[in-house]
Amino acid sequence: MSRIYNFSAGPAMLPEAVLKQAQEELVDWQGSGMSVMEMSHRGKEFMSIAEAAEADLRQVMGIPDNYKVLFLQGGASSQFAMVPLNLLRGSTKADYINTGSWSKKAIAEAKRYCNVNVAATSEAENFMTIPAFDSWNLADDAAYVHYTPNETIGGVEFHWIPEVGDTPLVADMSSTILSRPIDVSRYGVIYAGAQKNIGPAGLTVVIVREDLIGQTVERTPTMFDYKTHADADSMYNTPPTYGWYLAGLVFKWIKDNGGLDAMAGINKRKADKLYAAIDQSDFYANPVDPQCRSWMNVPFTLADPELDATFLKEAAAQGMTSLKGHRSVGGMRASIYNAMPEEGVDALIDFMADFEKRNG
Amino acid sequence: MSRIYNFSAGPAMLPEAVLKQAQEELVDWQGSGMSVMEMSHRGKEFMSIAEAAEADLRQVMGIPDNYKVLFLQGGASSQFAMVPLNLLRGSTKADYINTGSWSKKAIAEAKRYCNVNVAATSEAENFMTIPAFDSWNLADDAAYVHYTPNETIGGVEFHWIPEVGDTPLVADMSSTILSRPIDVSRYGVIYAGAQKNIGPAGLTVVIVREDLIGQTVERTPTMFDYKTHADADSMYNTPPTYGWYLAGLVFKWIKDNGGLDAMAGINKRKADKLYAAIDQSDFYANPVDPQCRSWMNVPFTLADPELDATFLKEAAAQGMTSLKGHRSVGGMRASIYNAMPEEGVDALIDFMADFEKRNG
C-alpha cells in the first residue's frame, strides 16, 4: 500500500523523508558497518549524532545557553512527577491551570507531592475554552506555574504565553512543541513526549533552566532528578539512542524546511482550512471556542453519531486512518502535526464534503 | 562498509536478519501504509505486534502464567529504585549481593529507601569471583534478595541460581537474559535493559510475579508503580513502541534459531573458545575465577598496556570494534551477546593470535 494519511494523536506520522533516510541507513549508518541501534552510546559515532541533534534543536527553537536540553525516557507521565520533585525546592505549593485531560493528570500526580492551587480551570465550560488570564488566582508562594499549552484530547490550545512574573512557568508541550516559534526564555521547564512532533515514542525532551536544577524532594529516585541527567549530558545511563537519532533527523528536516516560522505558517493554514470546512457545514461541528482552537488536534462531531462508523470505514478505505475521537469525547479527531502533509488535510476536507453530500 | 563485528557492551549488535526485516518494513509495515513508529499504540496493528512479542517471550523463556511481563522505559537504573519501592511491602530491609559495579549501583539506590543488608560481597577479591552461597548472611526479615547474575563490567557471572527459600529473588539480568534457559519460577522479579540481548536501548523488560504487585512505598511516582503498568498491559502511557516491535523480532529470531537451548550452546562455545585462547597465552590474561566467568562479557588484558591503543586500532581496521575495556577496569572487553556471530569470535581469536605473534 502507498503511504496513508494517519491522523493519529500520537504516535503519529513522521516526515517521509526522515523515514526514508532512516530506512536507507538502518543496517549500516553512513559506512560505519553498524546500525545506529547497535552503537555504544559513548562511541564517537553516536556522540556525533547526539550532539548534532541537540545543536539543531537549540538552533530551531532558539534555546538560550542557560537552559539544559535533556533527552530522557518515561514520557510526559513521568514528568508529571519529576516537575514537582525537582521544582518545589522546599516549597509546598504549586499553581496548576486545568484545561483538560492532560492538565488533570498532571494535577493528580502533583497532589501527591504538594498542595496544588488550581489557579484557573475551564472545567465548568467542559474544557471548551481557556480561562482568561485576568481570572487566574495565582498563589503568592507557588514554586511554579504549570499549564498544558495544547490539550491533545480536547483540542484547545493557548495562542499566548501566560505572564507569571518571576515564578517559573512549566509547560507540557507534548502535542505543540515545534509547531511554531516559541520564546523559550519565558519558561522554567518545557517538556514533551516525542511521539507527536519530535520522533518515535520512548523519548522525552526536557528543556530546563539551569538554576532550577539540583534541589529535589527527599528520596526522589536518582533517575527522576534533572541533575542526574544534566550533569551527564543525558548519558547517566543508556539513553534511548535510536529515538534520539530519529529526533535529530526530524530537527534537521525542520531546519531544511524553513524552521519553525515555516512550520507555523503551514500549520495555521492546515488548521484554518479544516476549521473553515467544519464551520461552514451544518453536518460537522467543533465545539471549541474559536479563540483557543488547537492547530494540532481538531475534534469534530457528525450531526448523527450513528454515521460515525461509516465515516471511519469510508475514510480508511480512502487511506485516511486513526480519525476516531478519544473515547472521552467521541466523534472524530484529526491530529495534524508537522508531518501531516497539507495534501492530507485537503484530502480529508474533500472526503468530508463528499460524505456530507451523500449523508447530510 | 560491510557489517563489522561490534563487541560493544551495550547498545550492542542485533541479529542481521532482524535489522534487515526492520529495514524492509520501516516505511511501510506489512502493507499498512505506515511505519511501526507512526502507529497508534492502541491501534489494531500495533496491538498485534505487542501481543505477539509478549507471547513469543513467554514461550521462549517459559514464563509461568502468574507472572506479568512489562515493557517499560528507564533502564535498569530506574529498576534500582522501582524494586525497593514496589517490593519492600511494609518491610524496611532487603538483602543485596555485591558482585561488582552494577550491584553497587543497585545497592546505592536501594539504601535511599531501606536498610540494605549486603549479605555477601566479593569486593575484597576485587570482584573477580562470586561469594560461595554457604557464606551468605541472608537476613530473616528481608523483603527480597537482589543480585546481578552477570556483571557487564567485571565479567563475572552466576552459573547457578541462589536458593533463598520463600524470600522473593530479584535479578538484574540486563546482560544475561535470553543467553540461556532460566527457571523463571525461581524469581520474584527479573528485569533487563533491552540493549544487550533484547533489542534497542530505551526498552526495559520486567517480569514480575503477580502477588508482588500493588504495595508500593508511599509517594512512589505513579510511573514507578508496577501496578500502573501491569493493570494497563504496559500501555498506561505511550510505550516505546518501536523498541517493543524490535524486541518482538528478536524473540522470534531466537525461536526460529532453536530457542534458548540453542543460544546457550552457541554462547558457551563462543565463550569457551575465547577464554581458552586467553588462557593458553602468556600475552593475554583474564583475571576472573574460572568458575564464574561470564559467557557474555570477556574482559582481558595485554601483557603490556602500552600496546592497548595499537591493539584497538588494528582490530578496528579489521572490522572489530568497541573492544576497549571499561574505564574502571582497563584493558579490553569483548562482549559477545546472542547476536555476535561465532565467526566474529573466531575472527577476534585469530587477530589476537596474530597480534601476539607480532608483539608478544
Side-chain angles (χ1 to χ4, degrees):
Chain A
M1 184 167 190
S2 59
R3 295 269 299 162
I4 57 170
Y5 296 123
N6 169 11
F7 292 91
S8 170
M13 286 186 84
L14 288 165
E16 192 170 0
V18 165
L19 291 174
K20 287 197 164 155
Q21 182 177 344
Q23 180 172 47
E24 192 178 308
E25 57 198 24
L26 189 135
V27 175
D28 179 8
W29 181 78
Q30 301 192 1
S32 66
M34 57 184 163
S35 174
V36 172
M37 289 180 231
E38 302 176 298
M39 293 176 181
S40 167
H41 54 298
R42 301 193 193 280
K44 67 179 190 307
E45 295 89 352
F46 186 74
M47 289 297 292
S48 75
I49 290 170
E51 287 166 8
E54 180 175 337
D56 282 345
L57 179 62
R58 284 186 176 275
Q59 184 188 330
V60 162
M61 289 187 70
I63 300 172
D65 288 344
N66 63 325
Y67 286 74
K68 290 280 187 186
V69 177
L70 309 179
F71 291 83
L72 305 182
Q73 302 182 51
S77 294
S78 293
Q79 294 305 313
F80 295 163
M82 285 176 80
V83 164
L85 289 170
N86 284 271
L87 260 62
L88 283 170
R89 295 162 294 142
S91 174
T92 57
K93 190 183 286 181
D95 285 326
Y96 277 73
I97 312 304
N98 183 9
T99 53
S101 300
W102 290 102
S103 298
K104 284 163 82 170
K105 287 200 173 193
I107 288 167
E109 188 75 1
K111 279 184 175 169
R112 310 181 67 213
Y113 303 106
C114 64
N115 298 319
V116 169
N117 173 47
V118 179
T121 175
S122 51
E123 189 149 24
E125 292 79 30
N126 204 20
F127 300 121
M128 291 301 132
T129 187
I130 284 168
F133 184 66
D134 58 17
S135 73
W136 292 19
N137 291 307
L138 298 170
D140 289 335
D141 53 349
Y144 60 91
V145 181
H146 180 283
Y147 81 121
T148 311
N150 184 74
E151 286 279 359
T152 321
I153 293 175
V156 296
E157 183 164 11
F158 283 76
H159 297 287
W160 46 282
I161 300 178
E163 176 48 74
V164 296
D166 289 338
T167 313
L169 184 62
V170 179
D172 174 2
M173 289 205 187
S174 295
S175 53
T176 182
I177 195 167
L178 298 178
S179 67
R180 64 177 80 189
I182 195 108
D183 182 354
V184 175
S185 73
R186 301 279 296 276
Y187 293 88
V189 175
I190 291 169
Y191 63 88
Q195 66 272 15
K196 290 106 171 17
N197 268 337
I198 294 176
L203 173 70
T204 312
V205 172
V206 178
I207 302 165
V208 51
R209 217 176 62 208
E210 286 173 347
D211 63 286
L212 300 173
I213 298 173
Q215 284 188 63
T216 51
V217 170
E218 206 183 350
R219 311 220 302 178
T220 296
T222 300
M223 286 290 287
F224 268 28
D225 185 342
Y226 289 146
K227 187 169 168 41
T228 299
H229 304 290
D231 287 353
D233 294 327
S234 304
M235 294 204 190
Y236 171 76
N237 69 330
T238 313
T241 49
Y242 199 67
W244 193 332
Y245 151 76
L246 276 155
L249 296 185
V250 171
F251 302 153
K252 181 143 191 324
W253 174 82
I254 291 173
K255 263 177 65 175
D256 292 347
N257 284 276
L260 294 186
D261 283 320
M263 292 296 131
I266 301 166
N267 286 327
K268 182 172 190 315
R269 201 163 65 227
K270 281 154 56 182
D272 281 351
K273 69 169 82 171
L274 182 50
Y275 286 115
I278 293 166
D279 288 346
Q280 74 192 25
S281 146
D282 292 328
F283 187 78
Y284 302 106
N286 169 288
V288 177
D289 176 357
Q291 298 301 313
C292 41
R293 282 172 165 177
S294 169
W295 288 4
M296 297 285 104
N297 311 98
V298 182
F300 61 93
T301 52
L302 276 57
D304 178 4
E306 296 281 317
L307 289 168
D308 284 2
T310 310
F311 182 95
L312 289 166
K313 194 174 158 189
E314 291 188 10
Q318 295 192 28
M320 289 171 279
T321 65
S322 288
L323 281 161
K324 190 173 183 180
H326 191 271
R327 60 191 177 280
S328 65
V329 174
M332 306 296 150
R333 174 176 47 171
S335 293
I336 49 176
Y337 300 113
N338 286 349
M340 170 60 69
E342 189 160 356
E343 297 74 32
V345 177
D346 292 339
L348 175 61
I349 291 170
D350 287 348
F351 167 72
M352 288 167 68
D354 179 61
F355 188 86
E356 177 179 359
K357 198 183 300 175
R358 290 183 287 108
N359 297 280
Chain B
M1 185 167 188
S2 60
R3 296 268 300 161
I4 57 170
Y5 296 123
N6 169 11
F7 292 91
S8 170
M13 287 186 83
L14 288 164
E16 191 171 0
V18 165
L19 291 175
K20 287 196 163 157
Q21 182 176 344
Q23 179 173 47
E24 191 178 309
E25 57 198 24
L26 190 135
V27 175
D28 179 9
W29 180 79
Q30 301 192 1
S32 67
M34 56 184 164
S35 174
V36 172
M37 289 180 232
E38 303 176 297
M39 293 176 181
S40 167
H41 54 298
R42 301 193 193 279
K44 66 180 189 307
E45 294 89 354
F46 186 75
M47 290 298 292
S48 75
I49 290 170
E51 287 166 8
E54 180 175 338
D56 283 345
L57 179 61
R58 282 185 177 276
Q59 185 188 330
V60 162
M61 289 187 71
I63 300 172
D65 288 345
N66 63 324
Y67 286 73
K68 290 280 187 186
V69 177
L70 308 178
F71 292 83
L72 306 182
Q73 302 182 52
S77 294
S78 293
Q79 294 304 313
F80 295 162
M82 286 174 79
V83 164
L85 289 169
N86 285 270
L87 260 60
L88 282 171
R89 294 162 296 142
S91 174
T92 57
K93 190 183 286 182
D95 285 325
Y96 276 73
I97 312 305
N98 183 10
T99 52
S101 300
W102 290 101
S103 298
K104 283 163 84 169
K105 288 200 172 193
I107 289 168
E109 189 74 1
K111 278 185 175 168
R112 309 182 66 214
Y113 303 106
C114 65
N115 297 319
V116 169
N117 174 47
V118 179
T121 175
S122 51
E123 189 150 25
E125 292 79 30
N126 204 20
F127 300 121
M128 291 301 132
T129 188
I130 284 170
F133 184 66
D134 58 17
S135 73
W136 292 19
N137 291 307
L138 298 170
D140 289 335
D141 53 348
Y144 59 91
V145 181
H146 180 283
Y147 81 120
T148 311
N150 184 73
E151 287 279 358
T152 321
I153 293 175
V156 296
E157 183 164 11
F158 283 76
H159 296 287
W160 47 280
I161 300 179
E163 176 48 72
V164 296
D166 289 339
T167 313
L169 183 62
V170 179
D172 174 2
M173 290 205 187
S174 295
S175 51
T176 183
I177 194 167
L178 298 177
S179 68
R180 64 177 79 189
I182 195 110
D183 182 354
V184 174
S185 73
R186 300 278 296 276
Y187 293 89
V189 175
I190 290 169
Y191 63 88
Q195 65 273 13
K196 290 106 170 18
N197 267 337
I198 294 175
L203 173 70
T204 312
V205 171
V206 178
I207 302 165
V208 51
R209 216 175 64 208
E210 287 174 345
D211 63 286
L212 299 173
I213 298 174
Q215 283 187 66
T216 52
V217 170
E218 207 184 349
R219 310 218 306 175
T220 295
T222 300
M223 286 290 287
F224 268 28
D225 185 343
Y226 289 147
K227 187 170 171 29
T228 299
H229 304 290
D231 286 353
D233 293 328
S234 305
M235 294 205 189
Y236 171 78
N237 70 330
T238 313
T241 49
Y242 200 67
W244 193 332
Y245 151 76
L246 276 156
L249 296 185
V250 171
F251 302 153
K252 182 146 191 320
W253 174 83
I254 291 172
K255 263 176 64 175
D256 293 347
N257 285 277
L260 295 186
D261 282 320
M263 293 294 131
I266 300 166
N267 286 326
K268 183 172 190 315
R269 201 164 64 228
K270 281 154 54 181
D272 281 351
K273 67 169 81 169
L274 182 50
Y275 286 115
I278 292 167
D279 288 346
Q280 73 193 25
S281 145
D282 291 328
F283 186 77
Y284 302 106
N286 170 288
V288 177
D289 175 358
Q291 298 302 312
C292 41
R293 282 172 164 178
S294 169
W295 288 4
M296 296 285 104
N297 311 98
V298 182
F300 60 93
T301 52
L302 276 56
D304 178 4
E306 294 282 316
L307 289 168
D308 284 2
T310 310
F311 183 95
L312 289 166
K313 195 174 158 190
E314 291 187 10
Q318 296 191 27
M320 289 172 280
T321 66
S322 289
L323 280 161
K324 190 173 182 179
H326 190 271
R327 60 191 177 281
S328 65
V329 174
M332 306 296 149
R333 174 176 49 171
S335 293
I336 50 176
Y337 299 114
N338 286 348
M340 170 60 69
E342 189 160 355
E343 296 75 33
V345 176
D346 292 338
L348 175 62
I349 291 170
D350 288 348
F351 167 73
M352 288 168 68
D354 179 62
F355 188 87
E356 178 180 357
K357 198 183 300 176
R358 290 183 286 107
N359 297 278

